[in-house]
C-alpha cells in the first residue's frame, strides 16, 4: 500500500510540474534585434508565470523590445490597458500575451496546416502512462 501512495504522488507531481512551466524569451529594452535567440530563453516560475509577454515600443531611435515571463492576470491587464496605444506609429506601445513555449519570439511566416502543428510533448503522455503503471502495480 505504501508503494501505491508513493507512486500516486509521483504521478501527480509529474503531471502538475510538466504542465505548468513555460519557457519564454526574456530581455529588457533591446533595439532592432528582437532578442529571439537561444541566449534569451528562460524557464518561467512554475505555477506563477504561465504566459509570455512581448512589448514593442516604436521610438524616435527605432523599435525597442521587452520580453518576459508573466502571470496571466498581469499580462492580460497590461495588454488591454495599452491596446489604444498600439498604432505602429511613433510612440506606439504594443503588449501581447501568449501561453505556448517561446511564443513571444519572432513572427514566423504561416506554414501549411499539416506542417504547422507541433508534435505533442512527452510530458503530455507521462502522467497518464505513470497512472496506468500505478494501477497495474497496485492491483496486484
Amino acid at each position: 500500500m505504501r508503494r501505491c501512495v508513493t507512486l500516486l504522488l509521483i504521478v501527480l507531481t509529474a503531471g502538475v510540474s510538466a504542465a505548468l512551466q513555460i519557457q519564454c524569451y526574456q530581455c529588457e529594452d533591446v533595439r532592432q534585434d528582437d532578442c529571439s535567440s537561444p541566449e534569451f530563453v528562460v524557464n518561467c516560475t512554475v505555477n506563477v508565470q504561465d504566459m509570455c509577454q512581448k512589448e514593442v515600443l516604436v521610438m524616435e531611435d527605432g523599435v525597442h523590445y521587452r520580453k518576459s515571463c508573466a502571470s496571466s492576470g498581469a499580462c492580460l491587464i497590461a495588454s488591454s490597458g495599452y491596446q489604444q496605444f498600439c498604432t505602429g506609429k511613433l510612440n506606439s506601445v504594443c503588449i501581447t500575451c501568449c501561453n505556448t513555449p517561446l511564443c513571444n519570439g519572432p513572427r514566423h511566416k504561416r506554414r501549411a496546416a499539416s506542417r504547422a502543428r507541433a508534435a505533442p510533448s512527452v510530458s503530455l503522455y507521462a502522467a497518464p502512462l505513470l497512472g496506468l503503471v500505478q494501477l497495474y502495480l497496485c492491483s496486484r
Side-chain angles (χ1 to χ4, degrees):
M1 182 64 162
R2 175 174 255 167
R3 182 174 62 180
C4 292
V5 172
T6 303
L7 282 172
L8 178 62
L9 289 174
I10 291 170
V11 168
L12 292 175
T13 304
V16 169
S17 65
L20 299 178
Q21 185 171 38
I22 189 171
Q23 284 188 320
C24 300
Y25 291 101
Q26 181 169 303
C27 62
E28 286 292 325
D29 200 29
V30 175
R31 287 191 330 198
Q32 304 310 323
D33 174 24
D34 75 347
C35 66
S36 296
S37 53
E39 66 263 22
F40 294 106
V41 174
V42 296
N43 292 316
C44 301
T45 305
V46 177
N47 295 329
V48 176
Q49 297 172 314
D50 54 352
M51 296 193 102
C52 298
Q53 181 171 314
K54 181 178 183 177
E55 297 179 45
V56 181
L57 300 92
V58 180
M59 304 176 98
E60 287 184 13
D61 62 345
V63 178
H64 293 244
Y65 296 91
R66 290 186 197 140
K67 297 181 181 185
S68 63
C69 298
S71 69
S72 54
C75 193
L76 295 172
I77 288 170
S79 66
S80 65
Y82 278 90
Q83 192 170 20
Q84 63 186 338
F85 303 109
C86 185
T87 63
K89 299 176 181 176
L90 186 62
N91 298 321
S92 172
V93 178
C94 299
I95 300 176
T96 55
C97 309
C98 53
N99 61 1
T100 57
L102 304 177
C103 58
N104 63 342
R107 280 187 162 174
H108 295 291
K109 294 179 182 175
R110 294 200 184 269
R111 295 179 285 176
S114 62
R115 291 190 304 166
R117 266 195 256 155
S121 68
V122 173
S123 62
L124 179 67
Y125 301 111
L129 287 175
L130 287 172
L132 288 174
V133 168
Q134 180 211 358
L135 182 64
Y136 173 76
L137 292 174
C138 292
S139 65
R140 300 180 111 203

